[in-house]
């Protein structure tokens, strides 16, 4: 069975140029349980990314709606650079390119702009628990190395 991943609306809070080729975008997920948003909460695991697309209609409070927007079917995939416990805020790192969505982020995204995102990716990181045998093995190896040094 194919799992359908819902799109979620988010608001751009800030855009910061981290280097000549990388832009950081800080977003806030809008709350679920309204008519036009999924009731499934937005969640992600370390290592996942988001599909990202600006909405064609900026929010009523966003700056000029005459700014260029990518074509409706343009979707970019970007790395989530924040941790899940920061939700509903999260950050993306976006590499400069000629892709219409990346170009929009680098040149035109502004606070209060609305975007849609959905989580993707199966390559995730999960830290070992304190009771895991892997962590116990590491501790035994460290102790063994310390004894050799003494």
């Amino acid at each position: 069975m194919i799992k359908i991943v819902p799109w979620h609306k988010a608001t751009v809070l800030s855009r910061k140029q981290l280097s000549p080729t990388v832009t950081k975008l800080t977003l806030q997920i809008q709350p679920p349980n309204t008519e036009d948003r999924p009731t499934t909460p937005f969640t992600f695991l370390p290592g996942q990314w988001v599909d990202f697309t600006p909405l064609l209609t900026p929010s009523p409070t966003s700056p000029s709606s005459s700014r260029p927007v990518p074509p409706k079917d343009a979707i970019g995939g970007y790395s989530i650079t924040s941790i899940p416990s920061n939700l509903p805020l999260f950050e993306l790192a976006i590499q400069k390119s000629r892709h219409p969505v990346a170009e929009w982020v680098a040149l035109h995204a502004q606070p209060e702009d609305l975007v849609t995102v959905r989580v993707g990716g199966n390559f995730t990181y999960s830290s070992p628990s304190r009771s895991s045998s892997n962590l116990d093995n590491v501790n035994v190896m460290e102790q063994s190395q310390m004894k050799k040094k003494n």
Side-chain angles (χ1 to χ4, degrees):
M1 181 167 94
I2 296 175
K3 181 180 177 185
I4 307 280
V5 179
W7 286 91
H8 295 268
K9 286 186 179 177
T11 304
V12 174
L13 297 181
S14 67
R15 179 186 76 194
K16 181 178 181 183
Q17 202 66 39
L18 298 179
S19 76
T21 60
V22 177
T23 301
K24 175 177 85 171
L25 204 59
T26 303
L27 302 140
Q28 181 171 11
I29 288 293
Q30 294 186 353
N33 298 324
T34 62
E35 289 179 23
D36 65 339
R37 291 183 208 109
T39 56
T40 308
F42 178 85
T43 59
F44 68 91
L45 297 171
Q48 290 187 297
W49 72 84
V50 292
D51 289 330
F52 174 101
T53 188
L55 290 175
L56 293 176
T57 350
S59 75
T61 58
S62 73
S64 172
S65 60
S66 64
R67 288 179 292 127
V69 226
K72 186 177 181 176
D73 60 349
I75 298 172
Y78 304 111
S79 299
I80 303 170
T81 58
S82 53
I83 57 175
S85 61
N86 287 351
L87 285 170
L89 302 181
F90 69 103
E91 296 175 344
L92 304 177
I94 300 173
Q95 179 80 32
K96 182 180 181 179
S97 80
R98 295 178 73 179
H99 184 274
V101 178
E103 193 170 65
W104 178 84
V105 168
L107 301 175
H108 304 291
Q110 295 189 15
E112 301 298 320
D113 283 341
L114 295 176
V115 300
T116 56
V117 294
R118 70 177 172 196
V119 174
N122 295 324
F123 183 77
T124 60
Y125 173 79
S126 60
S127 62
S129 68
R130 289 265 175 214
S131 63
S132 89
S133 61
N134 288 339
L135 189 56
D136 292 340
N137 291 339
V138 169
N139 288 335
V140 168
M141 288 178 4
E142 284 176 352
Q143 290 172 3
S144 173
Q145 292 298 320
M146 288 171 53
K147 286 180 184 176
K148 286 181 182 178
K149 288 181 181 178
N150 295 330

